[in-house]
Amino acid sequence: MIGEDDCSDDKKTPLLPVHEAVEGSTSFSVKSILTLKNLYVILGPLLSILICLFVKLDGPPSSQKMLGVIAWVFTWWVTQAVPLPVTSMCPLFLFPLFGIASADTVAHSYMDDVITLVLGSFILALAVERYNVHRRLALNVTLVFCGDPVNPAMLLLGLCGTIFFVSMWLHNVATAVMMMPVATGIVQRLAAAPQGESEAVNKFCRAVILAVVYATPIGGTSTLTGTGVNLIIIGMWKSLYPEAKPISFNTWFFYGFPVAVLNLLCFWLILCILYVPRGSGRALSAYLDKTHLKRDLEALGPMAFAEKMVLSVFGLLIVLWMTRRITDDIPGWGSLFHGLVGDGSVSVMVAVLLFIIPNMKQEGEKLMNWNECKKLPWNLILLLGAGFAIADGVQSSGLADVLSRALDFLEGAPYLLIVPAVSLICSIITEFITSNDATATLLVPLLYHIARTMHVHPLLLMVPGGIATEFAYWLPTSTPSNVVGFATGHIEIKDMLKVGVPLKVVGIVVLSLLMPSLGTIVFEAYSG
């Protein structure tokens, strides 16, 4: 309870509490100013000024200014001098100040169909998380694959498949955070293994955690909404080549799903070879069988009305996405609206249903409320907006033409060698320099111009290069799903390298083989 003194009407009482300075404390020092992060803050605008003053381009003055803005924004992104989402807002004032585009034009890049696709998808993901639907799904699928007696290889396949499926529809970070408790639950059951069986059990524990770490990004590549990188690729395509057809959910799935399935199967084989020695099933049977899994499933209780409705809405969204535009010959339901409805429209429409349908738990309570939406990934939304704004600025400023002329030396380069090279470079950059989404934002527009210079379809470089930024498999800090796995304490860096190195090679090989073959068939129709 608030006392009378706290509610004093004294006009001299300040609105905010005033703390007296502690005697001997230092409020300012040169050392506190001359930090590496502050130097990086200065480096961004300094590079921009130097480029605008001294770099001469074979193009209009606006192209020089655009290069300066890119240097500023990318420097802050790479060095993390300013929080990434804050840096992502900089084009909103830099473009008008540098005379590249009007404030209204730039602001439009921050809210288009791709952004609404992200918003709707994440609201649905939050509903899945709120009602524990993911855990019930994981236990049911794992129960099917467990075997009696337990088959470690099949159990790993079931776990990988479940994580893969969840990651197809939810963002990688959300999937890793939600599925890790399922994995650690399995690991905790094995903690009481006797000394003689500890080697086989210890290896299997590592394999279970690694399954979450790597099946998450692999599954994310299969659908348009599985990861931010996929959305960046299609958003960049829309910005850089506006006269071409936008890539639909279906089109991406026809290419991304086969790539992801091949990567998943190879990952599973790598896990089995490295972490499932002979005799593992016998060692694990005493601690992990169908009885344990059934007990956990029973603990969740019968499926409530809210869970059923979230699953129904989830299924409705997938069906609407898959049938909006099927092929050129089979137009889908989207043709009824003369092509005005996009995947983002569907995503938001279905998300709105969650705020209308009651959850039947408390009177007047709906499946979702706005408080839950405070967890929405505004950092990704702002990053996407900044990427689209920069892509538009590169085109409108004339910098795109300057880049194309600078890349003329690649005109005769063989495409079959460029794809693996691009995939390797992108996958290594994302390990050491910056986040997957930021790396894709930096590199995908460049790959577009390289492809145009080589006279090949831009998507044949943009797609493998973008997907390769998801192959951040080596270090705990490379991607959030790696951090989630490493934080459990059950895996070490050497485990990530043992699995990550061959898995990265496999991913590059799969992209290099499927892009010139399947990719040509799927994406060639998108030439405008």
Side-chain angles (χ1 to χ4, degrees):
M1 182 181 287
I2 299 173
E4 290 180 8
D5 291 338
D6 296 315
C7 297
S8 171
D9 291 330
D10 186 357
K11 302 296 182 185
K12 295 181 181 179
T13 303
L15 292 173
L16 296 174
V18 177
H19 301 281
E20 291 184 10
V22 179
E23 196 172 326
S25 65
T26 305
S27 59
F28 171 81
S29 69
V30 175
K31 191 175 180 180
S32 67
I33 297 296
L34 295 177
T35 63
L36 189 60
K37 180 159 277 193
N38 285 340
L39 291 175
Y40 287 148
V41 170
I42 297 168
L43 182 62
L46 182 62
L47 283 175
S48 181
I49 292 169
L50 291 174
I51 288 171
C52 290
L53 290 177
F54 300 110
V55 175
K56 301 300 178 186
L57 299 178
D58 184 19
S62 57
S63 63
Q64 185 181 4
K65 294 176 182 177
M66 185 64 211
L67 186 61
V69 169
I70 290 174
W72 184 333
V73 174
F74 285 6
T75 299
W76 280 6
W77 267 343
V78 171
T79 61
Q80 299 284 304
V82 176
L84 189 141
V86 177
T87 304
S88 299
M89 292 190 289
C90 288
L92 288 167
F93 70 86
L94 288 177
F95 278 35
L97 290 179
F98 279 70
I100 295 167
S102 69
D104 281 341
T105 302
V106 183
H108 288 161
S109 300
Y110 284 77
M111 186 55 71
D112 67 359
D113 190 58
V114 177
I115 305 292
T116 56
L117 181 67
V118 175
L119 280 171
S121 301
F122 267 98
I123 290 172
L124 184 58
L126 290 173
V128 168
E129 183 180 357
R130 185 184 189 190
Y131 295 104
N132 229 9
V133 175
H134 62 289
R135 184 169 176 80
R136 189 181 296 276
L137 173 68
L139 287 169
N140 273 298
V141 175
T142 308
L143 192 62
V144 171
F145 282 90
C146 184
D148 197 9
V150 66
N151 183 329
M154 292 305 294
L155 179 54
L156 278 178
L157 181 61
L159 186 62
C160 288
T162 304
I163 297 161
F164 177 93
F165 178 77
V166 172
S167 187
M168 285 172 65
W169 313 106
L170 308 185
H171 192 267
N172 289 352
V173 180
T175 302
V177 170
M178 290 193 296
M179 299 306 294
M180 194 55 76
V182 177
T184 52
I186 294 172
V187 170
Q188 286 165 5
R189 290 196 186 95
L190 302 172
Q195 191 65 31
E197 298 172 351
S198 62
E199 181 60 25
V201 170
N202 182 46
K203 282 191 170 185
F204 188 77
C205 288
R206 292 169 185 263
V208 168
I209 301 298
L210 289 167
V212 179
V213 171
Y214 293 121
T216 295
I218 292 172
T221 62
S222 58
T223 61
L224 206 58
T225 55
T227 177
V229 168
N230 302 353
L231 295 164
I232 288 168
I233 294 170
I234 65 147
M236 290 292 184
W237 173 245
K238 182 180 174 184
S239 294
L240 294 165
Y241 204 165
E243 62 268 26
K245 290 189 296 183
I247 299 171
S248 67
F249 185 92
N250 245 8
T251 302
W252 184 275
F253 184 79
F254 289 150
Y255 176 76
F257 186 72
V259 168
V261 168
L262 281 176
N263 282 332
L264 184 75
L265 291 174
C266 292
F267 166 59
W268 173 65
L269 288 173
I270 291 168
L271 272 188
C272 291
I273 292 168
L274 295 176
Y275 292 95
V276 185
R278 286 187 179 182
S280 295
R282 193 166 53 252
L284 297 171
S285 291
Y287 311 98
L288 191 65
D289 57 19
K290 288 195 171 184
T291 306
H292 294 97
L293 294 169
K294 286 178 181 176
R295 192 181 304 150
D296 278 0
L297 201 53
E298 288 169 2
L300 290 176
M303 186 176 280
F305 173 82
E307 286 182 80
K308 293 176 182 176
M309 290 310 301
V310 169
L311 273 177
S312 300
V313 172
F314 188 68
L316 173 65
L317 178 61
I318 294 170
V319 170
L320 290 175
W321 270 343
M322 298 292 286
T323 57
R324 182 179 69 85
R325 184 159 59 83
I326 302 170
T327 65
D328 290 335
D329 298 324
I330 309 173
W333 63 264
S335 61
L336 299 174
F337 300 92
H338 310 291
L340 297 176
V341 177
D343 287 328
S345 312
V346 176
S347 182
V348 172
M349 180 187 73
V350 171
V352 168
L353 290 177
L354 297 172
F355 295 87
I356 297 172
I357 301 171
N359 66 8
M360 304 299 284
K361 287 188 174 183
Q362 294 183 7
E363 189 176 348
E365 193 173 81
K366 310 301 181 184
L367 290 175
M368 280 292 284
N369 59 63
W370 187 247
N371 280 335
E372 293 288 329
C373 294
K374 291 176 181 177
K375 304 173 188 174
L376 283 169
W378 298 109
N379 57 337
L380 174 61
I381 291 167
L382 290 171
L383 177 64
L384 284 167
F388 302 159
I390 288 171
D392 290 339
V394 167
Q395 288 291 110
S396 62
S397 67
L399 184 58
D401 298 327
V402 175
L403 284 174
S404 297
R405 289 192 292 271
L407 296 169
D408 280 345
F409 69 95
L410 290 169
E411 188 170 358
Y415 171 72
L416 293 178
L417 290 179
I418 287 289
V419 172
V422 161
S423 301
L424 178 63
I425 291 167
C426 292
S427 68
I428 290 176
I429 287 174
T430 196
E431 296 279 3
F432 301 105
I433 296 181
T434 185
S435 70
N436 304 344
D437 295 335
T439 303
T441 305
L442 298 175
L443 297 180
V444 167
L446 182 61
L447 295 176
Y448 170 87
H449 295 295
I450 290 174
R452 295 299 293 264
T453 301
M454 294 174 61
H455 304 294
V456 299
H457 195 289
L459 287 173
L460 298 183
L461 282 188
M462 292 170 68
V463 171
I467 291 177
T469 63
E470 283 292 297
F471 298 164
Y473 299 147
W474 291 352
L475 301 174
T477 55
S478 297
T479 186
S481 60
N482 294 12
V483 175
V484 171
F486 195 76
T488 64
H490 293 291
I491 59 173
E492 301 172 9
I493 291 179
K494 65 179 182 181
D495 294 302
M496 300 190 73
L497 290 174
K498 276 169 65 176
V499 176
V501 171
L503 187 57
K504 191 187 286 281
V505 172
V506 164
I508 292 169
V509 170
V510 169
L511 286 177
S512 301
L513 292 176
L514 288 192
M515 197 66 228
S517 51
L518 178 64
T520 302
I521 298 169
V522 172
F523 294 114
E524 198 64 44
Y526 286 77
S527 55

